[in-house]
Amino acid sequence: MEHKYVRSIFLGYLFIIFLGGILLFLPISHFGELKFIDAIFTSTSAVCVTGLIVTSTSENFTFWGELIILILIQIGGIGYMSLVIIFFLFIGNKLNIDEKRAMKQSLDLPNLHVGAFIKKILLVVLFIELFGTIILTIQFFDKFKFLDALWFGLFHSVSAFNNAGFSLFTDSLMGYQSDTISLVTISFLVIFGGLGYFVLIEIYENRKFSKQFTIHTRIMLYGTVILIVLGMILFLSIEWNNPKTFGGLSFYDKILNAFFLSINFRTSGFNSIDIASLKESSLFFSTLFMLTGAGQGSTAGGMKITTVAILVITVIYILKESNQQPSIFKRTIDQKVINKALAIIITSSFFVLFAVLILVETQNLPFIKILFEVCSAFGTVGVSTGNGDILSFSQQFDSFGKSIIIVMMLAGRLGVFAFGLILIGKAKSKHFKYPTGRIII
């Protein structure tokens, strides 16, 4: 991992966040008073495709403010480096080796063939978001005028595919909890965005199943299905008779909303029920889903499905006392990959627990809600127990508390390895090796 490229990406995100905050702070972008920290928080949440809000998107921002948020979401989802490369390709300039390496670092590309890959990404994004916009516009047209329905459809399609969770409805999608088409459309937009560009492009190129999918794609597809089903089982078993959540719904609507909740609790911030009414057991176990997140190279955050899958497989092999290297789909998992997965999980856990400790000691608010909010920020999820109204729980934090959430959103979007490299720097190369020590565990 090249330190200079990571630093460039980090500074780029900071620049876009502050530019977005300044634009949102302008009088033309919002109604009434808006604190600068809240403008920066909103910009960070949009660029990091999180969805936590401390000021109402629909009530406190003008059309121009909403448009700025939408653009920030798109930049954050695709990655600002991708947009830079698209611009260079558009004007006909060839990329030098440093630009290719920076792009490879930004999107975790397997090689330096970035031009062709970026063109494929752009086509995938435009096609999926356009398809989602058309379906959602038709659904929203029942309640709104055409232009309003079109704007709502576009905004929610872009927000869903980029796993941002921003909504122009004050109650998110609670008003559509019985609308199968809307919830399923949003759900699949979130799933497609969470799978990652590598997986989407590979599925398209291999749509006739002429050859086998790569190990990464297979882990992502199986892992996504397993996590969705596990989430549904968890929420249905805990919330089935809760009158404030699933209790008053029909059998079909319980299944539909459990499906929607399970998907959005890992990657996106939409909700069709009141999150604050969930039982504490649901809130606690959902933090595990939020920290897991979705796929590498996707619009989502978290530790990533592949990371957790590798560690689970390794643990199983260790418990079985197998004398073989861990493997999956008849392929051996390299020890370096196992080490990296372990490092990501430990570092992520440390970041989250440290942030929770700071907020618990400084904000004087309930522990479980702080834990939930921090996991939502770090996983760039965006679901929240709320402030008692339509805003996120972060709205109750002071400026220092909001700053901690901002850092967690940025860390989750950038990735713990890259963020850790920014904080502690790169280790010096050593050309010697210490003798092996015997440690009892």
Side-chain angles (χ1 to χ4, degrees):
M1 184 176 287
E2 292 286 347
H3 184 268
K4 65 177 181 178
Y5 300 135
V6 173
R7 183 177 58 192
S8 298
I9 294 168
F10 176 71
L11 293 176
Y13 272 114
L14 286 183
F15 173 75
I16 294 171
I17 286 170
F18 276 100
L19 178 61
I22 292 171
L23 292 175
L24 291 175
F25 192 64
L26 295 176
I28 194 175
S29 300
H30 63 88
F31 300 109
E33 183 181 356
L34 178 68
K35 296 179 181 178
F36 186 66
I37 184 66
D38 291 342
I40 292 295
F41 188 102
T42 303
S43 179
T44 306
S45 185
V47 173
C48 296
V49 288
T50 305
L52 294 175
I53 57 171
V54 290
T55 183
S56 174
T57 307
S58 59
E59 295 181 338
N60 296 109
F61 289 105
T62 64
F63 168 77
W64 298 111
E66 294 173 359
L67 181 60
I68 291 169
I69 291 173
L70 188 66
I71 293 173
L72 292 175
I73 289 172
Q74 191 69 84
I75 292 174
I78 295 180
Y80 85 92
M81 281 300 300
S82 301
L83 297 178
V84 171
I85 300 303
I86 290 169
F87 173 74
F88 275 101
L89 293 174
F90 180 76
I91 63 177
N93 285 6
K94 292 184 178 180
L95 306 176
N96 60 41
I97 191 66
D98 279 339
E99 290 166 340
K100 289 183 177 180
R101 285 176 176 170
M103 191 66 236
K104 180 178 181 295
Q105 186 71 60
S106 177
L107 287 175
D108 288 314
L109 297 179
N111 53 56
L112 292 178
H113 302 306
V114 299
F117 191 81
I118 290 301
K119 291 177 182 178
K120 292 177 182 178
I121 287 179
L122 186 60
L123 290 174
V124 167
V125 170
L126 291 177
F127 175 77
I128 295 178
E129 290 181 351
L130 177 61
F131 190 70
T133 298
I134 293 173
I135 295 177
L136 292 176
T137 299
I138 294 172
Q139 291 303 110
F140 296 153
F141 188 52
D142 287 341
K143 296 183 179 180
F144 303 99
K145 296 179 180 179
F146 175 73
L147 289 180
D148 290 335
L150 178 62
W151 173 239
F152 292 157
L154 173 64
F155 190 96
H156 286 84
S157 179
V158 173
S159 182
F161 178 72
N162 290 286
N163 284 213
F166 276 87
S167 176
L168 294 180
F169 305 134
T170 55
D171 60 353
S172 191
L173 295 174
M174 290 175 62
Y176 290 84
Q177 64 180 202
S178 296
D179 187 337
T180 301
I181 295 178
S182 295
L183 293 190
V184 170
T185 300
I186 293 286
S187 295
F188 277 97
L189 285 170
V190 172
I191 291 173
F192 290 149
L195 285 174
Y197 298 121
F198 311 123
V199 177
L200 292 177
I201 291 173
E202 186 176 347
I203 290 174
Y204 174 75
E205 292 180 342
N206 193 27
R207 57 191 179 279
K208 294 182 179 179
F209 298 98
S210 57
K211 58 182 179 179
Q212 203 173 47
F213 288 129
T214 61
I215 299 299
H216 173 81
T217 295
R218 295 169 73 182
I219 291 176
M220 278 304 307
L221 293 175
Y222 281 109
T224 298
V225 172
I226 290 171
L227 287 172
I228 290 174
V229 173
L230 285 178
M232 289 179 64
I233 294 173
L234 174 70
F235 296 126
L236 285 172
S237 61
I238 297 176
E239 303 292 334
W240 187 270
N241 293 317
N242 185 350
K244 297 180 180 179
T245 55
F246 290 173
L249 302 178
S250 66
F251 178 83
Y252 175 79
D253 284 343
K254 287 179 180 179
I255 303 298
L256 174 64
N257 284 270
F259 172 74
F260 187 78
L261 192 63
S262 179
I263 291 170
N264 282 275
F265 257 21
R266 278 193 306 108
T267 58
S268 187
F270 294 107
N271 61 283
S272 59
I273 62 170
D274 183 10
I275 302 299
S277 298
L278 290 171
K279 295 180 180 179
E280 287 195 352
S281 52
S282 292
L283 295 178
F284 176 76
F285 282 109
S286 64
T287 61
L288 302 179
F289 288 92
M290 289 192 287
L291 290 178
T292 299
Q296 189 70 0
S298 73
T299 58
M303 297 184 295
K304 305 298 188 293
I305 289 175
T306 46
T307 302
V308 175
I310 287 169
L311 199 62
V312 169
I313 294 166
T314 303
V315 169
I316 292 173
Y317 268 75
I318 293 173
L319 293 177
K320 290 168 62 177
E321 295 187 348
S322 173
N323 61 352
Q324 295 181 340
Q325 188 82 353
S327 63
I328 184 172
F329 300 125
K330 297 181 180 180
R331 294 292 185 273
T332 300
I333 302 174
D334 187 77
Q335 187 60 46
K336 290 183 179 179
V337 176
I338 296 173
N339 294 342
K340 185 176 180 180
L342 180 62
I344 289 174
I345 290 177
I346 291 178
T347 307
S348 300
S349 301
F350 172 78
F351 275 146
V352 168
L353 293 176
F354 187 64
V356 170
L357 174 63
I358 294 175
L359 291 174
V360 167
E361 293 299 320
T362 60
Q363 304 304 308
N364 194 29
L365 291 167
F367 168 79
I368 188 65
K369 292 189 175 183
I370 289 178
L371 174 65
F372 189 89
E373 196 80 357
V374 170
C375 291
S376 181
F378 181 75
T380 66
V381 180
V383 288
S384 177
T385 54
N387 69 330
D389 198 2
I390 62 174
L391 304 180
S392 299
F393 189 67
S394 297
Q395 191 272 337
Q396 301 187 54
F397 295 166
D398 57 23
S399 295
F400 175 75
K402 291 176 182 177
S403 299
I404 297 296
I405 296 297
I406 287 173
V407 171
M408 294 304 294
M409 288 191 288
L410 188 56
R413 186 68 185 103
L414 196 63
V416 291
F417 260 35
F419 194 73
L421 192 60
I422 293 295
L423 294 178
I424 63 178
K426 188 177 181 180
K428 295 181 179 179
S429 299
K430 294 181 179 180
H431 302 286
F432 61 90
K433 183 179 180 181
Y434 292 111
T436 301
R438 180 173 180 267
I439 302 174
I440 300 174
I441 58 174

